[in-house]
Amino acid sequence: SLSEDKVWTTVYHDLQMQTSVGGNSLEKLPVLQLNYSATMDQISAITSSAEYCEQFISYSCKMSRLLNTPEGNPYTWWVGKANEKHYYWGGSGPGIQKCACGIERNCTDPKYYCNCDADYKQWRKDTGMLSYKEHLPVSQVVVGDVDRPGSEAKISVGPVRCQGDRNYWNAASFVTSSSYLHFSTFQGETSADISFYFKTSASDGVFLENLGNTDFIKLELKSATEVSFSFDVGNGPVEIVVRSPNQLNDDQWHRVNAERNVKQASLQVDQLPLEVRKAPTEGHTRLELYSQLYVGAAGGQRGFLGCIRSLRMNGVTLDLEERAKVTPGVKPGCSGHCTSYGMYCANGGKCVEKYNGYSCDCSKTAYDGPFCIKDVGAFFEEGMWLRYNFHSPGTSMKDLVSRTLLSSADPEITAPDLNLNKEEVSFSFSTTKSPCVLLYISSYTQDFMAVLVKPSGNLQIRYSLGGTKEPYNIDVDHRNMANGQPHTVNITRNGRDIVLQLDHYPPTSYSLPAASDIQFNSPKALFLGKVI
């Protein structure tokens, strides 16, 4: 069956591919305007509900510099959503003034971070995907460096393409048959379009119901092989039933789509044939409802046991998850796969249930990829450093690192209330340079911790927690760590006891001197690559 994951929504614009600027072209205006086939509000609705969006952008150049790397002000920029200017290019990300070749380290001239910035007399190009969806779509490209004799550039911008529905996994599990969620009255007077997925091992139950005085609308699982859509708009009750050749209570997901308008009503389950019922030519056409909309049960009838997800009513996805959090007998999300496969999420990744499986949430780990085993890393050129400010407990590492990368001028974030009796630090690195500082943790007090490579290439760990004149040093001699090979370091401290594990060698235990404090007071910031 077609998996809904693979559907792309594409929005086109009117800018020709390879639009020329400068040179002998008539386009003297260096501002290229893109007009889309949808309004900005419509595009915004698409990008915000998608899992992922991208837009291709390409700059072909002959003696025309693009971002003016490594240090200069960009010659060319693009304008995205909300009229914001952006100075990064395809294949790169916000706040990083590099083209794709600069990130992949394969620019024609390694002194520059874009192919075009080398200012060659031959044609070169910088291309890639813009995939930070909060900035899309591109509405203008402003080209700067085409006013010298012989300067020429060609710009291409692809359509905006979005994939995946963030609400696709919005689910609730009904664990008792009397439990239900309620939402405000369904406004479906002249047309109703309702779709959702369910999975259950029960043989019957009400999916949803909304009542009026005599009017009503209801969807239910009548038996293990029957789904029913019934309603009354004032001409007496109408019921449409789809019978499935296979059991529907097989604990697999099944899709239900029910529609009603003034002409007809229809019901479809999975890929089974559509059941249609024409409306009477005379009579009432308006569905008048007053009660709240009940999901997962209805007045006095046996409710639904199992999961419902991605419930859309007239184009709006109901937030089952939020409502389930505050409703007894209903749990947010849908359990199942994580109990069997949760152990595949490595390095402290969290298992998240999905439609036909599970995924791993790696946001609280230092890893990425489907199973949280792909290293997240950066290449540090000499003199480059990264600072990460400790927040109060409860803020995730990744939010902060990305925020630190985007603006190094973050206001001081204070968390002096944080005092550590124990901590665990683990990371991997490779370097050929010694001496160097790998990691340094500062504090609002005199306390600090550092991991460095000594001039000899040996690793040293320093702890200074107060109470002693000199920091406590752990020296790992007879091992050259500056040999360009990847090395893994794990340091676990619990009070006075420190355990160090290097690469695959057996762990070694150390102990802070008796005079030393055992509390790391008020950590302030973590520096990678250099101490400021």
Side-chain angles (χ1 to χ4, degrees):
S1 74
L2 261 180
S3 108
E4 227 163 270
D5 281 8
K6 292 290 172 281
V7 179
W8 286 90
T9 305
T10 307
V11 187
Y12 295 92
H13 57 76
D14 60 355
L15 182 72
Q16 296 287 322
M17 292 304 255
Q18 298 286 351
T19 297
S20 293
V21 279
N24 306 326
S25 77
L26 298 171
E27 272 302 331
K28 275 283 179 278
L29 244 194
V31 178
L32 305 179
Q33 186 71 39
L34 288 77
N35 303 302
Y36 286 85
S37 56
T39 67
M40 280 302 169
D41 284 352
Q42 288 167 328
I43 299 175
S44 194
I46 294 168
T47 56
S48 60
S49 71
E51 290 270 4
Y52 170 80
C53 296
E54 63 179 24
Q55 189 165 17
F56 174 79
I57 191 163
S58 156
Y59 191 85
S60 299
C61 53
K62 197 162 92 179
M63 283 182 60
S64 172
R65 293 155 294 180
L66 176 57
L67 299 183
N68 200 10
T69 60
E71 309 286 45
N73 287 329
Y75 284 109
T76 290
W77 65 85
W78 54 278
V79 177
K81 186 170 158 180
N83 274 334
E84 278 186 65
K85 291 182 183 177
H86 300 292
Y87 300 99
Y88 63 98
W89 203 247
S92 179
I96 305 168
Q97 194 180 330
K98 288 185 181 184
C99 295
C101 72
I103 287 184
E104 290 157 17
R105 307 174 60 79
N106 56 10
C107 298
T108 332
D109 183 336
K111 286 203 295 292
Y112 302 96
Y113 299 137
C114 294
N115 291 318
C116 289
D117 289 351
D119 212 16
Y120 285 112
K121 291 191 168 61
Q122 301 83 17
W123 283 100
R124 293 275 186 269
K125 65 179 177 182
D126 287 295
T127 67
M129 285 295 181
L130 298 169
S131 58
Y132 191 74
K133 68 191 182 79
E134 285 72 10
H135 289 170
L136 300 178
V138 178
S139 61
Q140 268 183 4
V141 181
V142 181
V143 182
D145 188 24
V146 284
D147 43 11
R148 295 172 297 158
S151 287
E152 248 185 287
K154 292 182 180 145
I155 319 287
S156 297
V157 181
V160 186
R161 305 174 68 227
C162 290
Q163 185 198 49
D165 178 0
R166 281 217 322 246
N167 301 313
Y168 196 54
W169 311 118
N170 191 310
S173 311
F174 298 84
V175 283
T176 65
S177 56
S178 58
S179 57
Y180 59 87
L181 299 174
H182 55 84
F183 293 88
S184 55
T185 311
F186 175 50
Q187 304 296 322
E189 293 190 345
T190 52
S191 68
D193 179 356
I194 303 169
S195 64
F196 59 90
Y197 292 81
F198 74 90
K199 76 170 184 177
T200 184
S201 43
S203 55
D204 57 284
V206 175
F207 296 126
L208 59 91
E209 180 182 72
N210 204 152
L211 304 172
N213 276 345
T214 52
D215 289 7
F216 74 89
I217 187 165
K218 180 160 96 176
L219 276 154
E220 67 177 313
L221 182 65
K222 285 205 99 156
S223 75
T225 55
E226 293 174 307
V227 171
S228 143
F229 173 34
S230 54
F231 57 88
D232 187 345
V233 293
N235 310 318
V238 176
E239 183 180 31
I240 303 175
V241 177
V242 168
R243 291 183 176 82
S244 164
N246 306 314
Q247 302 278 325
L248 295 169
N249 61 343
D250 56 356
D251 226 359
Q252 297 296 314
W253 287 108
H254 298 284
R255 186 168 195 263
V256 176
N257 196 95
E259 292 183 44
R260 183 224 154 233
N261 55 39
V262 290
K263 292 203 174 71
Q264 62 176 44
S266 65
L267 174 65
Q268 184 163 31
V269 177
D270 294 334
Q271 309 293 317
L272 296 169
L274 185 72
E275 288 286 333
V276 181
R277 183 73 53 86
K278 292 262 184 281
T281 43
E282 321 264 276
H284 301 278
T285 57
R286 296 180 87 77
L287 176 65
E288 293 175 0
L289 304 174
Y290 304 110
S291 79
Q292 289 186 303
L293 164 70
Y294 295 97
V295 177
Q301 290 155 320
R302 224 194 108 205
F304 172 73
L305 279 172
C307 292
I308 294 178
R309 72 173 174 83
S310 193
L311 171 58
R312 287 172 75 94
M313 313 225 10
N314 282 358
V316 177
T317 303
L318 298 191
D319 197 341
L320 302 177
E321 234 151 76
E322 259 329 287
R323 197 54 62 94
K325 286 178 185 165
V326 294
T327 308
V330 189
K331 293 201 175 101
C334 190
S335 58
H337 295 95
C338 282
T339 37
S340 323
Y341 306 106
M343 71 280 196
Y344 292 125
C345 295
N347 295 308
K350 240 175 67 228
C351 184
V352 183
E353 289 292 340
K354 288 284 198 185
Y355 153 54
N356 49 4
Y358 64 97
S359 77
C360 301
D361 171 7
C362 310
S363 63
K364 295 275 195 292
T365 74
Y367 294 85
D368 215 339
F371 305 109
C372 309
I373 49 184
K374 186 176 158 236
D375 288 325
V376 176
F379 180 87
F380 286 75
E381 285 164 28
E382 206 169 319
M384 181 178 152
W385 53 281
L386 182 80
R387 169 185 179 148
Y388 153 76
N389 293 321
F390 285 107
H391 275 41
S392 320
T395 318
S396 109
M397 206 49 149
K398 279 201 181 154
D399 298 350
L400 290 163
V401 171
S402 60
R403 217 169 300 149
T404 310
L405 278 170
L406 294 182
S407 68
S408 45
D410 249 11
E412 281 298 322
I413 296 145
T414 53
D417 51 339
L418 190 65
N419 294 317
L420 304 174
N421 288 314
K422 54 183 183 186
E423 65 275 321
E424 179 182 1
V425 178
S426 60
F427 62 93
S428 305
F429 72 94
S430 63
T431 184
T432 51
K433 186 178 184 296
S434 58
C436 64
V437 176
L438 298 171
L439 170 144
Y440 180 85
I441 301 172
S442 69
S443 70
Y444 291 94
T445 59
Q446 301 291 303
D447 294 2
F448 73 85
M449 176 204 173
V451 183
L452 37 130
V453 177
K454 298 193 294 186
S456 59
N458 298 140
L459 196 72
Q460 183 180 67
I461 292 145
R462 291 187 187 174
Y463 262 104
S464 182
L465 302 184
T468 57
K469 275 205 178 70
E470 294 294 315
Y472 173 64
N473 293 345
I474 296 175
D475 290 290
V476 187
D477 293 328
H478 357 283
R479 284 210 189 111
N480 180 16
M481 301 301 259
N483 56 2
Q485 295 300 310
H487 295 287
T488 303
V489 182
N490 182 311
I491 305 159
T492 309
R493 180 183 74 91
N494 192 346
R496 217 167 281 295
D497 304 322
I498 299 170
V499 176
L500 170 65
Q501 164 111 41
L502 275 185
D503 298 336
H504 48 273
Y505 297 108
T508 325
S509 302
Y510 302 89
S511 194
L512 286 171
S516 170
D517 282 354
I518 57 165
Q519 209 172 48
F520 194 149
N521 294 306
S522 316
K524 179 177 179 181
L526 177 146
F527 294 90
L528 297 177
K530 191 175 177 185
V531 185
I532 302 299

